[in-house]
Amino acid sequence: MSDEQDIILSELSDEELTLQMHDDLYDGMKEEIEESVNILLSRGWMPYDVLTKALVEGMRIVGIDFRDGILFVPEVLLAANAMKGGMAILKPLLAETGAPRLGNMVIGTVKGDIHDIGKNLVTMMMEGAGFEVKDLGINNPVENYLDELENGEYDILGMSALLTTTMPYMKVVIDTMVEKGMREDYVVLVGGAPLNEEFGKAIGADAYCRDAAVAVETAKEYMAKKHNQLGA
Ligand code: B1M
């Protein structure tokens, strides 16, 4: 029997358990991740802390070894699956704030890109903060965003891209909005690991959001401005 099998998760200290979760995420062990998430919650951890300190940090480590050629797509897919298992437990808790409805958002990962963990996290956090979010999923051509915006009542468009090859597609969406005379009707927020503030400005977005918490704060600021303008 390996050391790994001997570990009783509930007997680890918070710090040991968090490190163990980084390992379990790395190894794609979904059931262990789910058990550990539940243990931390039962110890009084805030859902947001479980998310950032255990899951997101674990995925950051996976990302480094993926980049360095130590991990490959099949292993990273398992890690992503384990992460999603943990996120599914946290989702209702993050959404349970009872906050009043602040605004409506459409979000999706751009065409050519199938990464969705970051986008899902943004969706969860936005919902938790009181936004209504329509998630268009992954690999979205410009038509998907525009059809949804035109057929609903939205305040914010959010786009996610994780690849340097897909991030320019955000500009295609924004340029099409400009052509159709609808750009000014929405706040456009963009995010994803390879982006930065400069890129956000260059493509004509209203703001680049470094992470899900920044996305929530930025969306709140823009909604407050909008309400102030309407009230003026
Ligand atoms: Co991919 N992948 N991947 N991958 N993958 C990266 C992005 C990469 C950086 C890895 C690396 O080399 N270090 C690299 C991109 C390099 C580059 O473009 N320069 C890469 C590559 C190359 C690829 C493939 C091409 C690999 C291949 O096939 N050879 C391929 C591409 C497929 C495609 O999309 N067409 C691929 C595939 C995959 C998997 C399918 C195996 C899997 C995705 C599973 C899934 O998402 N369901 C995967 C994963 C998991 C990763 C890494 C390891 C982790 C991404 C992640 O989930 N991070 C990633 C490495 C990395 O990013 N360091 C990598 C955790 C997540 C919480 O963070 O997504 O950054 P993040 O989201 C954050 C913020 O960025 C922000 O808030 C989030 C929460 O705080 N944010 C937003 C994100 N979207 C936002 C939208 C907003 C606001 C904020 O709107 C308002």
Side-chain angles (χ1 to χ4, degrees), residues 89-110:
I89 298 171
L90 298 173
K91 184 175 177 177
L93 303 175
L94 287 166
E96 241 176 35
T97 60
R101 285 278 149 237
L102 292 182
N104 297 325
M105 179 189 210
V106 179
I107 193 167
T109 303
V110 297

Side-chain angles (χ1 to χ4, degrees), residues 56 59-60 62-64 66-68 72-74 76-77 80 83-84 105 107 112-119 121-122 157-166 189-194 208-213 215:
V56 174
M59 198 42 116
R60 192 186 65 80
V62 169
I64 293 170
F66 188 27
R67 179 197 62 205
D68 295 345
F72 296 95
V73 170
V76 178
L77 267 177
M83 171 117 183
K84 285 186 175 182
M105 179 189 210
I107 193 167
D113 202 320
I114 62 166
H115 294 86
D116 67 355
I117 294 174
K119 167 190 66 62
L121 231 155
V122 173
L157 168 64
M159 289 188 278
S160 180
L162 264 288
L163 299 171
T164 43
T165 48
T166 57
L189 304 181
V190 294
Y208 153 72
C209 307
R210 191 184 62 243
D211 59 28

Side-chain angles (χ1 to χ4, degrees), residues 87-218:
M87 281 166 66
I89 298 171
L90 298 173
K91 184 175 177 177
L93 303 175
L94 287 166
E96 241 176 35
T97 60
R101 285 278 149 237
L102 292 182
N104 297 325
M105 179 189 210
V106 179
I107 193 167
T109 303
V110 297
K111 186 174 165 184
D113 202 320
I114 62 166
H115 294 86
D116 67 355
I117 294 174
K119 167 190 66 62
N120 295 349
L121 231 155
V122 173
T123 302
M124 277 165 51
M125 297 279 297
M126 291 290 293
E127 286 175 345
F131 286 84
E132 188 89 41
V133 184
K134 172 74 185 180
D135 184 351
L136 299 176
I138 54 173
N139 195 19
N140 283 289
V142 59
E143 298 79 24
N144 288 10
Y145 295 107
L146 268 47
D147 287 352
E148 189 59 43
L149 289 175
E150 282 168 342
N151 292 314
E153 297 233 332
Y154 293 103
D155 310 291
I156 301 169
L157 168 64
M159 289 188 278
S160 180
L162 264 288
L163 299 171
T164 43
T165 48
T166 57
M167 56 192 246
Y169 195 77
M170 292 174 164
K171 184 168 180 335
V172 173
V173 177
I174 294 174
D175 286 351
T176 312
M177 290 173 82
V178 173
E179 274 165 32
K180 292 193 158 224
M182 57 193 282
R183 170 66 186 88
E184 296 310 316
D185 299 338
Y186 305 96
V187 172
V188 179
L189 304 181
V190 294
L195 279 64
N196 57 32
E197 210 157 328
E198 205 182 346
F199 176 79
K201 279 202 189 105
I203 62 168
D206 288 294
Y208 153 72
C209 307
R210 191 184 62 243
D211 59 28
V214 171
V216 167
E217 285 318 308
T218 311

